[in-house]
């Protein structure tokens, strides 16, 4: 089984990496970009039978800083 965890900064948290990407895009001539949020994707290969609750526990304890980040889990 595989899990993808999408981690993003929460709204209202400053995103200096996203701002750097937005600025770089403008420098390259892509003027229509008004905002960029930087995130990460974590792919996990899991043993069969691993529950979504276990993956959520992984996120809460290590994979995301839940004070400033939100996450979404997709299992396949």
């Amino acid at each position: 089984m595989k899990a993808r965890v999408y981690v993003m900064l929460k709204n209202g948290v400053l995103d200096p990496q996203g701002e750097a990407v937005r600025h770089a895009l403008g420098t390259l001539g892509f003027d229509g970009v008004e905002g960029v949020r930087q995130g990460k994707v974590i792919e996990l290969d899991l043993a069969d039978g691993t529950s979504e609750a276990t993956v959520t526990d992984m996120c809460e304890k290590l994979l995301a800083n839940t004070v400033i980040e939100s996450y979404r889990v997709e299992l396949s």
Side-chain angles (χ1 to χ4, degrees), residues 54-73:
T54 298
V55 177
T56 297
D57 198 29
M58 291 176 190
C59 293
E60 295 286 330
K61 292 181 177 175
L62 177 67
L63 301 179
N65 178 349
T66 57
V67 173
I68 61 170
E69 295 174 323
S70 60
Y71 63 88
R72 177 173 49 93
V73 176

Side-chain angles (χ1 to χ4, degrees), residues 1-63:
M1 175 169 45
K2 291 189 181 280
R4 277 199 179 125
V5 180
Y6 298 88
V7 181
M8 296 291 294
L9 289 171
K10 290 181 177 178
N11 289 333
V13 175
L14 294 178
D15 186 352
Q17 286 181 314
E19 185 58 23
V21 170
R22 187 199 60 76
H23 177 69
L25 289 170
T27 300
L28 292 171
F30 299 102
D31 296 326
V33 180
E34 295 180 353
V36 176
R37 301 293 287 174
Q38 176 73 28
K40 59 188 171 187
V41 177
I42 302 166
E43 292 188 351
L44 304 169
D45 291 322
L46 303 169
D48 288 340
T50 303
S51 69
E52 187 170 353
T54 298
V55 177
T56 297
D57 198 29
M58 291 176 190
C59 293
E60 295 286 330
K61 292 181 177 175
L62 177 67
L63 301 179

